[in-house]
């Protein structure tokens, strides 16, 4: 017993030493959590070794004390709206960046994008599922609202220079992608992933857009008929769960005045009802004679989140535009591009173009389980056009012998009213499942879209030359005695007797704009251009994204039915249907954490335009357009995911494209080209180099030519497709001083270039290449930002596109915009 008590102090001492040693080996583990914009995240759940939990404070800081020393600790970060992140830490400090969650992206993006900057992480456009862009086996380019703001972009034409392989075709909502033309007048554009159209003539404002995306190559396997070059998707701004409000005022060259407002936030304390309202007003003139634009955009959006598994969204965009339609610049007959001022237009002072466009979207996303989700969306688009215009007749006026007068452009006048509509409904299921080590992301869906032009649309056309017997007709020198003649006095005083036009010709050597009297013209109802029409597209599609280790496969297909109701709204109505199957195969392999390689094969299909098919003067009916794409490339991420660098090579073949035959006396005559081929390389770099330095770079080489033809057009083989430059590129960068006396001061600079282009299949008419330099200065003080943008700094004369030398579309000379914005 005595021995036991004698050993007790030693035992207590040993226990004390053990406790001391143990106490000395406990550490504190801490760090900060931020988003990709370097903003601290509050209330992030942080789980240490699956047992201890902490939350980040308002500075994004978390801390665990009394952590036993071990080889490494496991920390898991979870936060609503962000991807879960789990990492191991061997020391006492771990700072992390959380990426936005892609799980909330559905057919229509219901939740707002939380990223800021030029980089976008994910999109549904490539797969109709929540897939990071690096895992989509197809090239997708995008421009975010931040880049639009920094460049003071107002319309799509201001944006497209940032996309590799995309080029303007005209002033209108009309572009080429990889050498293939698309325009807003057809339902091959997407709004939040749903088929829609714009008015074609005027490019809509972009103030209500979160970003603009281009999926390169045919997207037909998911969205129905589409251009083989690519499809544009406009993503609208969505409500956010936090209060944000901003106002901006802009003034600049050409008497430009613009006001924008953007308000968003929750409508209730539970944040289950969110709203967003974008408003834009613009009143501007142009460097082009008599041209102006007055635009009003109202874009409300409401999100309803009744449960964590159900989301409902309502969006609307209303655009009212009052302007004149600018058909472009004309130069002297067989003259050079500089023979007339780029400011000269052929409009009359009483011309007008009044347009109204609306889109209304309703969408539902319900998550039945962590694996199964249902998506339902409906989009209605309506457009109203009220037009009076004086424009070229696509020819020069003639003398008594029928020869062109070099400085006198023949004109015609249109009076047109129409109101087409489209409807698009889409429903699909997504299901995620794992079979052993193989994961599947399944999509099964159906969509139905219609496009209608109801009775009531009409067009009156005045053209040709006056007849003595009354009326008007194309001039025939052999029957000159049948026509009215008048004495024309040239600018140099020379007089000549020439046929009198129905609509006065325009002397492009002088400013001949004046008030015209359309009541004196002889009009012909040209209703073939606006006959009632109805067409529908329906499709059933299946898709499986298969994951196995570093390998991802995409296998999909769509069975599509296209129906055109000929002689719509008459007793002779007849439905004509066409069917096709569109496969899509893709592969992505993760070489490293930062580098993915991919390959893609897909087919596309496009029925010919209804107006052309039903026009008896076009030479139709014509076979549908078919296409196929082979593409491969790299998708990489650097600088902790803040910067992406992608490259792609592609080969596209399209058959049965229609071109204007340029047949004298029949401007509606079309010819069908046997085959076109486009092949090229594209490079894109986008993102943030440092916290205060943003960058975007794009380059494309595109060889788009006529590769096969019939007997009538064999001379066209090897001809470069219109408005498809072989080389083009863009760079833009912005740097903001982070500290010191000049804190908040930023500068932006960039340039874009385009090489020579044909304006038609007539290779004697081409547009020169050009390089444009742009710059900007920014200064932010608290909640106020001052911004001045300088465009075309070197005052370069250039043309963005054209149809021929009578319809050329020059770019703006040197100009500036100054903006003051306030956020609160």
């Amino acid at each position: 017993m005595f021995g036991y008590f004698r050993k007790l102090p030693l035992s207590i001492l040993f226990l004390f030493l053990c406790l001391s040693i143990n106490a000395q080996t406990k550490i504190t583990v801490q760090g900060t959590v931020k988003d990709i914009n370097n903003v601290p995240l509050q209330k992030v759940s942080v789980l240490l070794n699956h047992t201890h939990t902490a939350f980040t404070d308002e500075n994004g800081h978390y801390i665990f004390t009394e952590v036993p020393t071990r080889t490494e600790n496991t920390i898991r970060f979870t936060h609503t709206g962000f991807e879960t992140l789990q990492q191991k830490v061997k020391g006492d400090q771990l700072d992390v960046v959380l990426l936005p969650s892609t799980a909330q992206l559905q057919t229509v993006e219901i939740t707002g994008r939380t990223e800021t900057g030029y980089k976008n992480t994910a999109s549904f456009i490539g797969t109709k599922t929540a897939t990071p862009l690096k895992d989509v086996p197809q090239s997708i380019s995008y421009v975010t609202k931040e880049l639009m703001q920094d460049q003071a972009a107002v319309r799509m034409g201001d944006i497209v220079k940032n996309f590799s392989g995309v080029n303007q075709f005209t002033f209108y909502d009309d572009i080429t992608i990889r050498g293939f033309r698309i325009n807003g007048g057809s339902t091959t554009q997407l709004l939040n992933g749903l088929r829609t159209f714009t008015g074609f003539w005027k490019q809509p404002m972009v103030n209500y857009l979160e970003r603009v995306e281009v999926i390169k190559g045919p997207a037909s396997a998911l969205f129905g008929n589409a251009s083989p070059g690519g499809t544009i998707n406009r993503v609208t701004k969505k409500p956010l769960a936090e209060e944000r409000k901003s106002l901006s005022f802009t003034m600049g060259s050409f008497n430009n005045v613009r006001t924008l407002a953007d308000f968003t936030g929750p409508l209730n304390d539970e944040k289950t009802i969110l709203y967003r309202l974008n408003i834009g007003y613009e009143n501007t003139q142009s460097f082009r004679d008599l041209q102006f634009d007055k635009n009003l955009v109202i874009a409300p959006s409401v999100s309803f989140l009744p449960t964590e598994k159900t989301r409902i969204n309502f969006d609307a965009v209303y655009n009212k535009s009052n302007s004149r339609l600018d058909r472009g610049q004309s130069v002297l007959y067989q003259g050079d591009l500089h023979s007339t001022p780029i400011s000269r237009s052929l409009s009359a002072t009483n011309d007008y173009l009044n347009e109204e466009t609306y889109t209304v979207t309703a969408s539902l996303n319900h998550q039945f389980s962590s694996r199964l989700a249902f998506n339902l969306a409906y989009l209605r688009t309506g457009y109203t056009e009220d037009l009076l215009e004086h424009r070229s007749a696509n020819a020069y006026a003639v003398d008594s012998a029928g020869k062109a007068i070099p400085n006198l452009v023949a004109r015609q006048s249109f009076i047109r009213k129409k109101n087409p509509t489209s409807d698009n409904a889409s429903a699909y299921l997504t299901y995620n499942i794992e079979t052993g080590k193989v994961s599947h992301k399944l999509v099964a869906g159906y969509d139905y879209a219609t496009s209608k032009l109801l009775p009531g649309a009409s067009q009156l056309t005045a053209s040709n030359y006056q007849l003595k017997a009354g009326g008007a007709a194309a001039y025939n020198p052999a029957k000159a005695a049948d026509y009215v003649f008048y004495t024309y006095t040239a600018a140099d005083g020379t007089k000549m007797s020439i046929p009198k036009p129905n609509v006065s010709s325009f002397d492009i050597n002088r400013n001949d704009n004046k008030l015209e009297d359309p009541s004196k013209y002889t009009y012909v109802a040209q209703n073939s251009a606006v006959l009632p029409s109805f067409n529908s597209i329906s499709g059933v599609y299946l898709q499986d994204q298969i994951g196995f280790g570093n390998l991802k496969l995409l296998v999909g297909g769509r069975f599509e039915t296209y129906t055109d109701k000929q002689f719509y709204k008459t007793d002779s109505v007849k439905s004509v249907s066409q069917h096709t199957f569109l496969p899509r195969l893709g592969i992505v392999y993760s070489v490293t954490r930062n580098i993915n390689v991919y390959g893609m094969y897909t087919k596309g299909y496009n029925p010919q335009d209804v107006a052309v098919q039903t026009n008896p003067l076009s030479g139709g009916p014509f076979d549908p357009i078919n296409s196929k794409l082979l593409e491969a490339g790299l998708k990489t991420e650097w600088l902790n995911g803040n910067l992406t660098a992608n490259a792609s090579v592609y080969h596209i073949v399209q058959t049965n494209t229609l071109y204007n035959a340029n047949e004298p006396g029949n401007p509606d005559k079309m010819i069908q080209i046997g085959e076109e081929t486009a092949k090229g390389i594209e490079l894109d770099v986008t993102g943030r180099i440092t916290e205060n330095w943003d960058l975007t770079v794009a380059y494309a080489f595109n060889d788009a030519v006529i590769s096969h033809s019939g007997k009538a057009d064999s001379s066209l083989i090897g001809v470069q497709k219109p408005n498809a430059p072989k080389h083009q590129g863009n760079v833009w960068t912005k740097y903001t001083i982070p500290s010191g006396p000049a804190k908040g001061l930023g500068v932006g600079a960039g340039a874009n270039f385009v090489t020579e282009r044909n304006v038609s299949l007539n290779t004697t008419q081409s547009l020169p290449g050009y390089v444009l330099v742009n710059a900007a200065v920014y200064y932010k003080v608290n909640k106020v930002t001052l911004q001045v943008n300088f465009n075309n700094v070197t005052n370069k004369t250039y043309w963005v596109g054209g149809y021929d030398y009578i319809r050329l579309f020059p770019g703006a000379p040197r100009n500036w915009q100054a903006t003051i914005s306030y956020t609160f």
Side-chain angles (χ1 to χ4, degrees):
M1 179 70 66
F2 176 77
Y4 172 79
F5 284 106
R6 189 175 61 180
K7 294 178 181 179
L8 184 60
L10 295 176
S11 301
I12 294 174
L13 178 62
F14 178 75
L15 178 61
F16 175 78
L17 290 174
C18 290
L19 291 173
S20 299
I21 293 172
N22 185 55
Q24 291 173 1
T25 58
K26 288 185 178 182
I27 62 172
T28 297
V29 178
Q30 60 184 326
T32 58
V33 183
K34 297 182 179 180
D35 65 13
I36 61 175
N37 305 308
N38 206 39
V39 176
L41 292 175
Q42 186 179 3
K43 296 183 179 179
V44 176
S45 176
V46 186
L47 182 64
L48 175 68
N49 297 328
H50 309 288
T51 56
H52 302 287
T53 302
F55 293 91
T56 56
D57 60 18
E58 64 274 9
N59 299 314
H61 182 257
Y62 70 91
I63 186 169
F64 293 97
T65 59
E66 301 290 319
V67 180
T69 299
R70 50 195 296 177
T71 304
E72 60 184 15
N73 293 291
T74 300
I75 304 182
R76 181 181 178 90
F77 303 88
T78 57
H79 192 46
T80 303
F82 291 85
E83 296 284 358
T84 298
L85 177 65
Q86 182 169 301
Q87 286 194 8
K88 295 185 181 298
V89 57
K90 294 183 178 180
D92 58 1
Q93 181 80 23
L94 179 61
D95 300 326
V96 298
V97 174
L98 296 188
L99 299 177
S101 172
T102 60
Q104 298 181 34
L105 292 172
Q106 302 300 335
T107 301
V108 175
E109 297 191 15
I110 294 177
T111 57
R113 170 177 168 267
T114 57
E115 294 176 89
T116 61
Y118 297 171
K119 180 178 176 292
N120 184 56
T121 302
S123 171
F124 64 86
I125 187 67
T127 61
K128 279 201 171 181
T129 63
T131 303
L133 287 172
K134 67 178 182 179
D135 292 335
V136 178
Q138 198 164 352
S139 177
I140 298 176
S141 298
Y142 57 84
V143 170
T144 65
K145 69 178 185 298
E146 288 77 18
L147 180 54
M148 298 181 209
Q149 291 168 355
D150 288 348
Q151 295 182 346
V154 182
R155 293 178 177 80
M156 193 66 68
D158 304 321
I159 295 173
V160 297
K161 65 187 177 185
N162 296 287
F163 296 121
S164 60
V166 182
N167 190 63
Q168 279 189 259
F169 203 99
T170 62
F171 284 150
Y172 315 139
D173 194 9
D174 187 16
I175 65 173
T176 59
I177 305 176
R178 290 180 170 177
F180 296 92
R181 183 183 179 191
I182 70 169
N183 61 69
S186 60
T187 54
T188 54
Q189 295 198 31
L190 303 176
L191 181 69
N192 297 320
L194 297 168
R195 297 167 63 87
T196 187
F197 68 96
T198 63
F200 178 63
W201 302 122
K202 292 293 181 176
Q203 299 175 21
M205 293 175 65
V206 297
N207 64 293
Y208 62 95
L209 296 181
E210 179 65 43
R211 66 182 179 277
V212 178
E213 304 172 321
V214 178
I215 179 170
K216 307 292 185 60
S220 305
L222 283 180
F223 301 103
N225 67 298
S227 166
T231 301
I232 289 181
N233 183 42
R234 290 174 290 138
V235 181
T236 58
K237 294 176 181 177
K238 295 296 185 295
L240 299 176
E242 58 185 73
E243 291 279 355
R244 291 187 189 177
K245 298 181 178 67
S246 66
L247 293 171
S248 70
F249 303 91
T250 300
M251 61 181 297
S253 300
F254 320 126
N255 296 319
N256 181 13
V257 176
R258 187 167 61 253
T259 302
L260 305 178
D262 184 0
F263 307 131
T264 186
L267 290 175
N268 60 352
D269 294 337
E270 295 79 14
K271 297 185 177 181
T272 57
I273 304 177
L274 313 176
Y275 85 98
R276 192 154 192 168
L277 177 62
N278 276 268
I279 300 174
Y281 173 76
E282 177 190 43
N283 188 342
T284 182
Q285 295 177 348
S286 169
F287 70 98
R288 301 271 298 151
D289 296 340
L290 294 184
Q291 301 306 315
F292 71 92
D293 279 289
K294 294 181 180 179
N295 293 290
L296 173 65
V297 175
I298 303 174
S301 178
V302 177
S303 294
F304 178 43
L305 291 69
T307 71
E308 292 184 356
K309 295 184 177 181
T310 303
R311 296 173 181 271
I312 302 171
N313 211 78
F314 296 94
D315 295 277
V317 179
Y318 172 78
N319 186 7
K320 181 179 176 62
S321 173
N322 302 109
S323 64
R324 289 193 180 97
L325 179 50
D326 188 355
R327 294 283 189 167
Q329 171 199 8
S330 299
V331 300
L332 293 175
Y333 178 67
Q334 295 183 341
D336 63 37
L337 294 172
H338 301 275
S339 60
T340 61
I342 62 171
S343 60
R344 189 141 298 164
S345 74
L346 274 60
S347 299
T349 57
N350 52 322
D351 286 350
Y352 58 82
L353 172 61
N354 299 322
E355 298 176 290
E356 288 187 70
T357 307
Y358 71 85
T359 61
V360 179
T361 308
S363 60
L364 165 70
N365 167 244
H366 181 70
Q367 198 84 24
F368 291 102
S369 67
S370 60
R371 297 181 181 274
L372 180 63
F374 174 68
N375 303 273
L376 178 65
Y378 169 78
L379 170 64
R380 168 82 171 190
T381 304
Y383 169 73
T384 301
E385 177 186 305
D386 181 13
L387 169 72
L388 167 64
E389 67 166 329
H390 289 74
R391 51 159 294 185
S392 77
N394 306 337
Y396 293 87
V398 297
D399 61 17
S400 59
K403 294 183 179 180
I405 302 174
N407 61 299
L408 208 59
V409 177
R411 285 199 304 180
Q412 56 187 330
S413 178
F414 289 169
I415 299 176
R416 183 170 59 240
K417 294 180 184 292
K418 65 177 184 178
N419 53 347
T421 62
S422 73
D423 297 271
N424 185 195
S426 173
Y428 72 87
L429 291 165
T430 61
Y431 186 69
N432 299 332
I433 187 174
E434 291 79 33
T435 54
K437 295 183 179 180
V438 181
S439 64
H440 297 266
K441 187 182 290 186
L442 298 168
V443 177
Y446 172 80
D447 54 47
Y448 178 76
T450 66
S451 179
K452 291 184 288 188
L453 181 60
L454 296 175
S458 60
Q459 177 173 310
L460 299 178
T461 301
S463 61
N464 294 318
Y465 294 86
Q466 295 182 17
L467 295 169
K468 291 179 179 179
Y475 181 67
N476 183 354
K479 298 182 178 181
D482 294 341
Y483 294 84
V484 177
F485 278 70
Y486 80 109
T487 300
Y488 165 69
T489 303
D492 61 0
T494 303
K495 296 183 178 182
M496 65 178 77
S497 181
I498 62 174
K500 188 173 183 179
N502 186 13
V503 179
S504 62
S505 301
F506 193 99
D507 188 342
I508 54 177
N509 275 339
R510 56 193 177 196
N511 193 328
D512 221 9
N513 306 106
K514 58 182 180 293
L515 186 71
E516 301 286 358
D517 186 359
S519 67
K520 296 180 179 180
Y521 305 154
T522 298
Y523 283 99
V524 175
Q526 195 176 1
N527 290 332
S528 61
V530 287
L531 285 174
S533 62
F534 176 96
N535 63 77
S536 65
I537 295 173
S538 61
V540 177
Y541 54 89
L542 295 172
Q543 177 182 278
D544 188 7
Q545 292 172 263
I546 306 168
F548 180 73
N550 293 341
L551 185 66
K552 298 179 179 64
L553 300 176
L554 185 149
V555 180
R558 175 187 178 94
F559 182 78
E560 179 166 295
T561 299
Y562 174 82
T563 300
D564 175 21
K565 291 188 177 182
Q566 297 180 356
F567 312 110
Y568 183 55
K569 291 296 182 179
T570 71
D571 294 337
S572 304
V573 63
K574 179 183 177 182
S575 293
V576 179
S577 296
Q578 304 173 57
H579 308 277
T580 188
F581 176 72
L582 302 168
R584 188 176 187 225
L585 303 172
I587 183 172
V588 179
Y589 182 76
S590 298
V591 180
T592 68
R593 181 179 177 182
N594 298 327
I595 301 175
N596 286 3
V597 297
Y598 74 91
M600 166 64 71
Y601 170 78
T602 187
K603 294 181 70 175
Y605 166 82
N606 232 335
Q608 300 291 358
D609 185 81
V610 175
V612 175
Q613 290 284 59
T614 58
N615 185 352
L617 300 177
S618 67
F622 299 101
D623 294 331
I625 299 170
N626 294 294
S627 60
K628 57 184 178 181
L629 164 75
L630 284 171
E631 181 178 312
L634 290 169
K635 295 191 177 183
T636 68
E637 289 188 344
W638 309 99
L639 304 180
N640 294 321
N642 289 316
L643 188 74
T644 62
N646 303 330
S648 62
V649 295
Y650 60 88
H651 186 275
I652 302 172
V653 176
Q654 175 171 276
T655 57
N656 299 330
T657 309
L658 292 182
Y659 283 92
N660 194 289
N662 293 319
E663 182 177 291
N666 185 9
D668 293 339
K669 182 66 178 294
M670 308 294 288
I671 59 174
Q672 193 158 33
I673 301 298
E675 182 181 273
E676 300 169 296
T677 301
K679 50 189 176 182
I681 302 170
E682 294 173 344
L683 304 173
D684 295 274
V685 178
T686 306
R688 180 168 287 169
I689 298 176
T690 68
E691 182 180 347
N692 302 288
W693 186 6
D694 295 292
L695 174 72
T696 180
V697 180
Y699 166 76
F701 165 76
N702 177 46
D703 185 20
V705 299
I706 309 299
S707 52
H708 181 73
S709 64
K711 293 181 180 179
D713 51 4
S714 58
S715 62
L716 298 177
I717 294 179
V719 173
Q720 182 185 5
K721 285 169 57 62
N723 293 298
K726 282 198 172 183
H727 301 271
Q728 67 180 107
N730 175 73
V731 59
W732 175 266
T733 186
K734 175 189 176 183
Y735 181 77
T736 304
I737 299 174
S739 60
K743 180 181 179 181
L745 179 65
V747 293
N752 65 286
F753 78 93
V754 172
T755 56
E756 185 182 27
R757 295 139 289 148
N758 293 332
V759 294
S760 68
L761 294 178
N762 181 352
T763 56
T764 63
Q765 296 187 346
S766 62
L767 298 175
Y770 60 85
V771 177
L772 299 182
V773 178
N774 305 307
V777 179
Y778 315 88
Y779 186 58
K780 184 175 182 180
V781 183
N782 297 323
K783 297 181 178 181
V784 177
T785 301
L786 303 175
Q787 173 179 338
V788 182
N789 289 80
F790 305 94
N791 301 313
N792 193 3
V793 174
T794 61
N795 204 28
K796 178 73 174 179
T797 298
Y798 68 104
W799 290 263
V800 299
Y803 296 120
D804 49 43
Y805 276 16
I806 295 180
R807 294 169 294 174
L808 295 167
F809 298 91
R814 182 189 295 122
N815 62 91
W816 61 274
Q817 294 184 75
T819 302
I820 180 170
S821 58
Y822 176 64
T823 59
F824 56 100

